mmCIF file of all heavy atoms in Angstrom:
data_model
loop_
_atom_site.group_PDB
_atom_site.id
_atom_site.type_symbol
_atom_site.label_atom_id
_atom_site.label_comp_id
_atom_site.label_asym_id
_atom_site.label_seq_id
_atom_site.Cartn_x
_atom_site.Cartn_y
_atom_site.Cartn_z
ATOM 1 N N PHE D 39 -6.057 13.018 -0.686
ATOM 2 C CA PHE D 39 -6.844 13.201 -1.979
ATOM 3 C C PHE D 39 -8.100 12.337 -2.047
ATOM 4 O O PHE D 39 -8.989 12.772 -2.745
ATOM 5 C CB PHE D 39 -5.862 12.886 -3.161
ATOM 6 C CG PHE D 39 -5.379 11.432 -3.155
ATOM 7 C CD1 PHE D 39 -5.983 10.396 -3.933
ATOM 8 C CD2 PHE D 39 -4.191 11.078 -2.500
ATOM 9 C CE1 PHE D 39 -5.519 9.089 -3.949
ATOM 10 C CE2 PHE D 39 -3.701 9.815 -2.543
ATOM 11 C CZ PHE D 39 -4.363 8.839 -3.205
ATOM 12 N N PRO D 40 -8.222 11.145 -1.445
ATOM 13 C CA PRO D 40 -9.434 10.377 -1.623
ATOM 14 C C PRO D 40 -10.535 10.683 -0.536
ATOM 15 O O PRO D 40 -10.240 11.436 0.372
ATOM 16 C CB PRO D 40 -8.950 8.980 -1.483
ATOM 17 C CG PRO D 40 -7.778 8.864 -0.665
ATOM 18 C CD PRO D 40 -7.241 10.304 -0.681
ATOM 19 N N THR D 44 -12.027 6.150 2.928
ATOM 20 C CA THR D 44 -10.939 5.232 2.345
ATOM 21 C C THR D 44 -9.759 5.116 3.256
ATOM 22 O O THR D 44 -9.519 5.975 4.174
ATOM 23 C CB THR D 44 -10.474 5.772 1.006
ATOM 24 O OG1 THR D 44 -9.942 7.010 1.185
ATOM 25 C CG2 THR D 44 -11.616 5.755 0.075
ATOM 26 N N PHE D 45 -8.933 4.182 3.114
ATOM 27 C CA PHE D 45 -7.913 3.738 4.073
ATOM 28 C C PHE D 45 -6.833 4.915 4.250
ATOM 29 O O PHE D 45 -6.375 5.104 5.382
ATOM 30 C CB PHE D 45 -7.223 2.475 3.701
ATOM 31 C CG PHE D 45 -5.941 2.586 2.900
ATOM 32 C CD1 PHE D 45 -4.663 2.561 3.496
ATOM 33 C CD2 PHE D 45 -6.060 2.703 1.465
ATOM 34 C CE1 PHE D 45 -3.499 2.757 2.635
ATOM 35 C CE2 PHE D 45 -4.861 2.893 0.752
ATOM 36 C CZ PHE D 45 -3.618 2.874 1.326
ATOM 37 N N PRO D 46 -6.449 5.696 3.205
ATOM 38 C CA PRO D 46 -5.507 6.734 3.392
ATOM 39 C C PRO D 46 -6.016 7.838 4.411
ATOM 40 O O PRO D 46 -5.315 8.374 5.201
ATOM 41 C CB PRO D 46 -5.352 7.428 2.019
ATOM 42 C CG PRO D 46 -5.685 6.350 0.983
ATOM 43 C CD PRO D 46 -6.794 5.580 1.716
ATOM 44 N N CYS D 96 0.228 8.993 -2.966
ATOM 45 C CA CYS D 96 0.420 7.638 -3.573
ATOM 46 C C CYS D 96 1.593 7.836 -4.460
ATOM 47 O O CYS D 96 1.558 8.399 -5.572
ATOM 48 C CB CYS D 96 -0.820 7.224 -4.195
ATOM 49 S SG CYS D 96 -0.679 5.490 -5.001
ATOM 50 N N TYR D 99 1.551 7.029 -8.386
ATOM 51 C CA TYR D 99 1.002 7.870 -9.291
ATOM 52 C C TYR D 99 2.105 8.787 -10.081
ATOM 53 O O TYR D 99 1.847 9.383 -11.051
ATOM 54 C CB TYR D 99 -0.072 8.903 -8.745
ATOM 55 C CG TYR D 99 -1.206 8.219 -8.110
ATOM 56 C CD1 TYR D 99 -2.068 8.907 -7.334
ATOM 57 C CD2 TYR D 99 -1.545 6.875 -8.445
ATOM 58 C CE1 TYR D 99 -3.153 8.215 -6.615
ATOM 59 C CE2 TYR D 99 -2.628 6.306 -7.904
ATOM 60 C CZ TYR D 99 -3.501 6.880 -6.947
ATOM 61 O OH TYR D 99 -4.576 6.278 -6.374
ATOM 62 N N THR D 149 -0.368 -0.555 0.191
ATOM 63 C CA THR D 149 -1.703 -1.185 0.070
ATOM 64 C C THR D 149 -1.429 -2.781 0.305
ATOM 65 O O THR D 149 -0.322 -3.146 0.276
ATOM 66 C CB THR D 149 -2.388 -1.000 -1.230
ATOM 67 O OG1 THR D 149 -1.583 -1.593 -2.218
ATOM 68 C CG2 THR D 149 -2.513 0.420 -1.527
ATOM 69 N N SER D 152 -2.516 -6.223 -5.070
ATOM 70 C CA SER D 152 -3.709 -5.826 -6.022
ATOM 71 C C SER D 152 -4.394 -7.153 -6.691
ATOM 72 O O SER D 152 -3.622 -8.196 -6.862
ATOM 73 C CB SER D 152 -3.124 -5.050 -7.223
ATOM 74 O OG SER D 152 -2.562 -3.853 -6.573
ATOM 75 N N ARG D 172 -8.161 -0.149 -15.320
ATOM 76 C CA ARG D 172 -7.474 1.130 -14.762
ATOM 77 C C ARG D 172 -6.466 0.723 -13.640
ATOM 78 O O ARG D 172 -6.667 -0.159 -12.816
ATOM 79 C CB ARG D 172 -8.490 1.970 -14.186
ATOM 80 C CG ARG D 172 -7.981 3.158 -13.388
ATOM 81 C CD ARG D 172 -7.861 2.782 -11.947
ATOM 82 N NE ARG D 172 -6.932 3.574 -11.242
ATOM 83 C CZ ARG D 172 -6.398 3.315 -10.128
ATOM 84 N NH1 ARG D 172 -6.727 2.157 -9.498
ATOM 85 N NH2 ARG D 172 -5.552 4.122 -9.495
ATOM 86 N N MET D 191 -5.038 6.379 -14.269
ATOM 87 C CA MET D 191 -5.628 7.561 -13.595
ATOM 88 C C MET D 191 -5.687 7.267 -12.005
ATOM 89 O O MET D 191 -5.542 6.117 -11.617
ATOM 90 C CB MET D 191 -7.176 7.578 -13.951
ATOM 91 C CG MET D 191 -8.032 6.528 -13.491
ATOM 92 S SD MET D 191 -9.721 6.616 -14.200
ATOM 93 C CE MET D 191 -9.507 6.043 -15.838
ATOM 94 N N PRO D 192 -5.684 8.336 -11.245
ATOM 95 C CA PRO D 192 -5.687 8.094 -9.764
ATOM 96 C C PRO D 192 -6.981 7.437 -9.369
ATOM 97 O O PRO D 192 -8.025 7.538 -10.053
ATOM 98 C CB PRO D 192 -5.677 9.556 -9.211
ATOM 99 C CG PRO D 192 -5.247 10.442 -10.372
ATOM 100 C CD PRO D 192 -5.768 9.762 -11.658
ATOM 101 N N MET D 193 -6.987 6.848 -8.203
ATOM 102 C CA MET D 193 -8.163 6.119 -7.600
ATOM 103 C C MET D 193 -9.258 7.074 -7.589
ATOM 104 O O MET D 193 -10.413 6.686 -7.900
ATOM 105 C CB MET D 193 -7.756 5.586 -6.218
ATOM 106 C CG MET D 193 -8.941 4.890 -5.642
ATOM 107 S SD MET D 193 -9.552 3.487 -6.514
ATOM 108 C CE MET D 193 -8.382 2.224 -6.033
ATOM 109 N N SER D 194 -9.136 8.404 -7.176
ATOM 110 C CA SER D 194 -10.278 9.235 -7.073
ATOM 111 C C SER D 194 -11.012 9.510 -8.298
ATOM 112 O O SER D 194 -12.118 9.956 -8.249
ATOM 113 C CB SER D 194 -9.725 10.552 -6.386
ATOM 114 O OG SER D 194 -8.351 10.878 -6.733
ATOM 115 N N LEU D 208 -10.841 -2.423 -12.720
ATOM 116 C CA LEU D 208 -9.569 -1.846 -12.109
ATOM 117 C C LEU D 208 -8.680 -2.786 -11.476
ATOM 118 O O LEU D 208 -9.189 -4.014 -11.227
ATOM 119 C CB LEU D 208 -9.987 -0.716 -11.075
ATOM 120 C CG LEU D 208 -10.575 -1.135 -9.844
ATOM 121 C CD1 LEU D 208 -10.222 -0.118 -8.677
ATOM 122 C CD2 LEU D 208 -12.051 -1.301 -9.914
ATOM 123 N N PHE D 209 -7.527 -2.448 -11.133
ATOM 124 C CA PHE D 209 -6.559 -3.318 -10.570
ATOM 125 C C PHE D 209 -6.038 -2.657 -9.306
ATOM 126 O O PHE D 209 -5.182 -1.616 -9.363
ATOM 127 C CB PHE D 209 -5.358 -3.491 -11.717
ATOM 128 C CG PHE D 209 -4.283 -4.542 -11.422
ATOM 129 C CD1 PHE D 209 -4.747 -5.804 -10.778
ATOM 130 C CD2 PHE D 209 -3.032 -4.379 -11.755
ATOM 131 C CE1 PHE D 209 -3.679 -6.739 -10.474
ATOM 132 C CE2 PHE D 209 -2.091 -5.345 -11.574
ATOM 133 C CZ PHE D 209 -2.419 -6.465 -10.899
ATOM 134 N N SER D 210 -6.451 -3.145 -8.184
ATOM 135 C CA SER D 210 -6.072 -2.519 -6.938
ATOM 136 C C SER D 210 -6.271 -3.428 -5.772
ATOM 137 O O SER D 210 -6.716 -4.609 -5.983
ATOM 138 C CB SER D 210 -6.987 -1.203 -6.686
ATOM 139 O OG SER D 210 -6.753 -0.725 -5.417
ATOM 140 N N SER D 211 -5.964 -3.031 -4.585
ATOM 141 C CA SER D 211 -6.294 -3.769 -3.387
ATOM 142 C C SER D 211 -7.764 -3.726 -3.189
ATOM 143 O O SER D 211 -8.541 -2.896 -3.546
ATOM 144 C CB SER D 211 -5.552 -3.082 -2.132
ATOM 145 O OG SER D 211 -5.738 -1.660 -2.145
ATOM 146 N N GLU D 213 -10.029 -3.633 -0.607
ATOM 147 C CA GLU D 213 -10.838 -2.907 0.200
ATOM 148 C C GLU D 213 -11.724 -1.888 -0.559
ATOM 149 O O GLU D 213 -12.791 -1.481 0.013
ATOM 150 C CB GLU D 213 -9.987 -2.182 1.404
ATOM 151 C CG GLU D 213 -9.581 -0.778 1.126
ATOM 152 C CD GLU D 213 -8.580 -0.736 0.014
ATOM 153 O OE1 GLU D 213 -8.099 -1.585 -0.533
ATOM 154 O OE2 GLU D 213 -8.277 0.465 -0.370
ATOM 155 N N VAL D 214 -11.277 -1.421 -1.723
ATOM 156 C CA VAL D 214 -12.094 -0.514 -2.432
ATOM 157 C C VAL D 214 -13.444 -1.113 -3.014
ATOM 158 O O VAL D 214 -14.331 -0.345 -3.358
ATOM 159 C CB VAL D 214 -11.253 0.098 -3.724
ATOM 160 C CG1 VAL D 214 -10.104 0.916 -3.275
ATOM 161 C CG2 VAL D 214 -10.848 -1.010 -4.720
ATOM 162 N N PHE D 218 -15.554 2.146 -2.011
ATOM 163 C CA PHE D 218 -16.031 2.926 -3.153
ATOM 164 C C PHE D 218 -17.356 2.213 -3.666
ATOM 165 O O PHE D 218 -17.847 2.657 -4.833
ATOM 166 C CB PHE D 218 -14.973 3.001 -4.334
ATOM 167 C CG PHE D 218 -13.943 3.984 -3.995
ATOM 168 C CD1 PHE D 218 -12.664 3.571 -3.442
ATOM 169 C CD2 PHE D 218 -14.049 5.365 -4.379
ATOM 170 C CE1 PHE D 218 -11.712 4.508 -3.145
ATOM 171 C CE2 PHE D 218 -13.032 6.231 -4.117
ATOM 172 C CZ PHE D 218 -11.891 5.838 -3.623
ATOM 173 N N TYR D 235 0.752 -0.953 -3.811
ATOM 174 C CA TYR D 235 1.046 0.468 -4.222
ATOM 175 C C TYR D 235 1.692 1.138 -2.981
ATOM 176 O O TYR D 235 1.169 1.063 -1.873
ATOM 177 C CB TYR D 235 -0.263 1.217 -4.496
ATOM 178 C CG TYR D 235 -0.904 0.984 -5.849
ATOM 179 C CD1 TYR D 235 -1.436 -0.293 -6.211
ATOM 180 C CD2 TYR D 235 -1.139 1.918 -6.655
ATOM 181 C CE1 TYR D 235 -2.133 -0.541 -7.384
ATOM 182 C CE2 TYR D 235 -1.763 1.854 -7.981
ATOM 183 C CZ TYR D 235 -2.216 0.550 -8.243
ATOM 184 O OH TYR D 235 -2.986 0.360 -9.446
ATOM 185 N N PHE D 237 2.854 4.272 -0.646
ATOM 186 C CA PHE D 237 2.410 5.589 -0.124
ATOM 187 C C PHE D 237 3.380 6.383 0.714
ATOM 188 O O PHE D 237 4.218 5.679 1.341
ATOM 189 C CB PHE D 237 1.062 5.518 0.624
ATOM 190 C CG PHE D 237 -0.146 5.350 -0.184
ATOM 191 C CD1 PHE D 237 -0.488 4.207 -0.788
ATOM 192 C CD2 PHE D 237 -1.118 6.288 -0.189
ATOM 193 C CE1 PHE D 237 -1.633 3.997 -1.597
ATOM 194 C CE2 PHE D 237 -2.226 6.215 -0.960
ATOM 195 C CZ PHE D 237 -2.484 4.988 -1.640
ATOM 196 N N MET D 272 -5.254 -2.125 6.802
ATOM 197 C CA MET D 272 -5.589 -2.475 5.372
ATOM 198 C C MET D 272 -5.908 -3.930 5.127
ATOM 199 O O MET D 272 -6.778 -4.303 4.429
ATOM 200 C CB MET D 272 -4.391 -1.859 4.482
ATOM 201 C CG MET D 272 -4.251 -2.416 3.127
ATOM 202 S SD MET D 272 -5.721 -2.139 2.193
ATOM 203 C CE MET D 272 -5.117 -0.719 1.143
HETATM 204 N N1 LIG T 401 -4.290 0.748 -5.389
HETATM 205 C C1 LIG T 401 -3.955 2.144 -5.470
HETATM 206 C C2 LIG T 401 -4.032 2.884 -4.253
HETATM 207 C C3 LIG T 401 -5.271 2.770 -3.444
HETATM 208 C C4 LIG T 401 -5.811 1.620 -2.907
HETATM 209 N N2 LIG T 401 -6.962 1.892 -2.168
HETATM 210 C C5 LIG T 401 -7.135 3.251 -2.305
HETATM 211 C C6 LIG T 401 -8.150 4.035 -1.711
HETATM 212 C C7 LIG T 401 -8.176 5.378 -2.048
HETATM 213 C C8 LIG T 401 -7.110 5.914 -2.764
HETATM 214 C C9 LIG T 401 -6.012 5.216 -3.317
HETATM 215 C C10 LIG T 401 -6.025 3.809 -3.074
HETATM 216 C C11 LIG T 401 -4.794 2.726 -6.549
HETATM 217 O O1 LIG T 401 -5.433 1.904 -7.163
HETATM 218 O O2 LIG T 401 -4.883 3.862 -6.739
#
Side-chain angles (χ1 to χ4, degrees):
F39 64 94
T44 61
F45 96 96
C96 179
Y99 299 163
T149 64
S152 301
R172 170 269 157 197
M191 70 184 78
M193 179 59 82
S194 30
L208 71 150
F209 189 36
S210 171
S211 44
E213 92 293 350
V214 294
F218 282 94
Y235 282 64
F237 279 71
M272 160 59 97

